[in-house]
Amino acid sequence: MRKVALITGITGQDGSYLSELLLERDYEVHGVVRRASVFTTERIDHLYQDRHEPEVRFHLHYGDLLEPTSLRRIIGEVQPDEVYNLAAQSHVRTSFEQPVYTAQVVAIGTLHLLEAVCDYQRSSGRQVRFYQASSSEMYGKVLEIPQNELTPFYPRSPYACAKVQAYWQTINYREAYGLFACNGILFNHESPRRGETFVTRKITRAATRIKLGLQDTLYLGNLDARRDWGFAGDYVEAMWLMLQQPEPADFLIATGRCHSVRDFLTTAFRCLDLNWRDYVKFDARYLRPTEVDLLQGDASKAREVLGWEPKVMMPELCRMMIDADMSLAQRERTLVDAGHAVLVPSA
Ligand code: NAP
Ligand code: GDD
């Protein structure tokens, strides 16, 4: 029997890579999409199938983590074997501007989904496996280096506090109701599909635009922050592996290496034979009221139990993002040379 997966956050970076992985493994994939006034499906457009095709394995449903009835309706229709909860207001800086909304989506939204999954399990008698997108951000003001699954949390943002609640709700549904539920504690993972307001993509986008004369300055905040950056394509494989185990458990996913924002800047600009110091200026708007200074994960458990290992490390990841953004910048350059105005990304 073909397995059925339901993904919340399917239009996001991870949702797109996970969809590709599951389709390659012959799943039927369903995704929850929020209605917006513009199309938000750019990252998954290449997976779209006309519903009149003979064998459609990729489906989208309108819904929202904040609307429990939509989640129940979708789960009832889709009858999933696996549910991946990737939806979130995932920007840490933004969570200081919108703390209540962030908590509602990240914490209460997860609770809505857990309730809907459990009720469906009870009424249908079918087992559902549940993945929760937990985050290294929960370690916050880190109490040990490197962090592992036993390191205590010390969240430093509304986003991280909400993720801690969702993490414990997931464990509680496992222990209270026997739900096959796993937390993946994923460290920062990036790709050419990364949102343009996260620091790595902001840097690769700006560096390539600077190289082609489309931009002259890049404004950034704290360059001393250190992160353990991996490739999103590698990390979605770990999500899938967690749900294929005989028993549910929580796993930390990281490369084990950490670099500063300054290191990433140096690597990115060097790919283009540029010196970032000639273009980068400080803007206090990008500082956070409370910062996470250093994240570095020890993924030994994932290596031993799941057989998972990262394949792409920061320098190759940075090069991959620069190459993809250079293609984008070249298209913009062509438009500008033909007399068209292009939107300058900010944030
Ligand atoms: P992302 O690119 O920001 O995608 C977030 C997704 O959530 C988008 O599809 C978004 O839809 C959707 N969403 C937001 N609010 C929603 C709501 N109320 N109802 C339904 N969908 C909603 O994030 P990502 O980088 O792919 O990360 C995936 C998950 O992993 C997130 O939960 C994130 O917090 C977590 N995480 C990420 C990292 C990382 O480094 N990337 C690390 C650890 C954990 P729209 O397209 O409509 O906005
Ligand atoms: N976004 C951004 N923009 N960050 C900047 C900037 C800037 O202009 N300048 C410096 N930084 C620093 C931030 O202060 C932070 O220390 C670091 O760069 C990384 O910021 P982000 O790329 O925004 O990611 P994040 O680490 O805050 O959060 C991401 O990773 C988490 C996992 O640890 C997000 O993907 C979260 O959703 C995820 O949970």
Side-chain angles (χ1 to χ4, degrees):
M1 282 286 281
R2 177 171 282 154
K3 279 196 192 168
V4 177
L6 176 65
I7 304 174
T8 71
I10 197 163
T11 55
Q13 171 188 255
D14 292 5
S16 67
Y17 283 105
L18 181 63
S19 296
E20 285 171 2
L21 178 139
L22 295 175
L23 288 169
E24 272 164 25
R25 292 181 189 182
D26 199 38
Y27 278 63
E28 183 177 308
V29 174
H30 294 257
V32 180
V33 183
R34 304 193 278 178
R35 195 267 159 185
S37 65
V38 290
F39 287 116
T40 56
T41 52
E42 193 184 343
R43 293 184 177 106
I44 49 171
D45 280 344
H46 60 293
L47 303 175
Y48 176 79
Q49 286 178 288
D50 187 289
R51 62 173 65 202
H52 303 102
E53 282 178 32
E55 196 191 59
V56 182
R57 290 198 289 121
F58 187 70
H59 307 261
L60 299 178
H61 307 259
Y62 278 120
D64 197 300
L65 276 198
L66 296 179
E67 197 196 37
T69 46
S70 67
L71 302 175
R72 285 170 186 278
R73 173 179 51 75
I74 295 166
I75 288 171
E77 279 171 24
V78 168
Q79 304 190 355
D81 299 295
E82 296 172 8
V83 173
Y84 295 86
N85 183 30
L86 309 186
Q89 189 304 93
S90 73
H91 202 278
V92 174
R93 181 72 188 81
T94 305
S95 78
F96 288 97
E97 321 284 337
Q98 294 188 282
V100 175
Y101 173 76
T102 301
Q104 277 167 345
V105 177
V106 172
I108 305 302
T110 301
L111 199 49
H112 288 154
L113 191 60
L114 283 163
E115 273 290 290
V117 166
C118 262
D119 283 352
Y120 169 73
Q121 265 204 169
R122 278 188 212 108
S123 62
S124 68
R126 294 164 53 114
Q127 201 200 42
V128 183
R129 296 187 170 209
F130 183 88
Y131 173 85
Q132 169 58 18
S134 285
S135 167
S136 52
E137 199 61 24
M138 301 187 301
Y139 296 117
K141 193 170 178 179
V142 296
L143 298 171
E144 58 190 13
I145 303 171
Q147 298 84 57
N148 62 39
E149 287 85 353
L150 302 177
T151 303
F153 300 138
Y154 192 145
R156 299 266 283 169
S157 64
Y159 165 82
C161 293
K163 281 285 181 189
V164 170
Q165 179 179 160
Y167 168 91
W168 282 112
Q169 294 288 6
T170 301
I171 292 178
N172 192 238
Y173 274 72
R174 182 164 79 211
E175 295 178 353
Y177 308 118
L179 182 67
F180 190 110
C182 303
N183 282 290
I185 307 173
L186 271 51
F187 282 57
N188 297 52
H189 45 281
E190 322 290 313
S191 74
R193 298 182 200 167
R194 184 60 144 150
E196 293 190 26
T197 60
F198 296 96
V199 77
T200 54
R201 185 78 199 286
K202 187 172 165 182
I203 291 170
T204 58
R205 204 60 183 102
T208 49
R209 296 186 91 249
I210 287 168
K211 182 74 182 177
L212 295 194
L214 293 158
Q215 179 176 338
D216 48 25
T217 307
L218 166 61
Y219 291 97
L220 291 173
N222 176 16
L223 305 188
D224 294 322
R226 296 174 71 78
R227 291 290 183 274
D228 181 331
W229 281 298
F231 171 48
D234 289 346
Y235 285 36
V236 297
E237 175 155 35
M239 297 177 187
W240 175 75
L241 283 168
M242 286 177 215
L243 297 199
Q244 312 313 309
Q245 301 309 303
E247 298 296 331
D250 307 317
F251 294 91
L252 182 157
I253 301 298
T255 69
R257 297 195 200 152
C258 92
H259 304 270
S260 65
V261 174
R262 192 176 285 99
D263 294 336
F264 193 93
L265 263 176
T266 307
T267 310
F269 277 73
R270 210 177 264 157
C271 288
L272 301 164
D273 295 321
L274 297 174
N275 182 347
W276 65 266
R277 289 171 203 279
D278 297 335
Y279 307 98
V280 173
K281 290 193 177 143
F282 173 71
D283 186 337
R285 271 197 313 150
Y286 299 116
L287 297 179
R288 289 137 194 223
T290 37
E291 174 64 294
V292 172
D293 297 323
L294 183 154
L295 293 172
Q296 183 176 10
D298 171 4
S300 303
K301 181 179 171 189
R303 191 169 55 247
E304 282 153 26
V305 179
L306 305 177
W308 179 87
E309 291 209 43
K311 297 184 190 83
V312 180
M313 303 309 245
M314 190 280 266
E316 306 95 276
L317 172 67
C318 183
R319 164 56 76 183
M320 180 198 298
M321 294 172 71
I322 285 282
D323 288 347
D325 279 336
M326 183 49 91
S327 303
L328 212 51
Q330 278 160 347
R331 289 210 292 275
E332 280 182 73
R333 185 70 258 173
T334 307
L335 284 173
V336 169
D337 291 345
H340 296 282
V342 291
L343 283 177
V344 179
S346 63

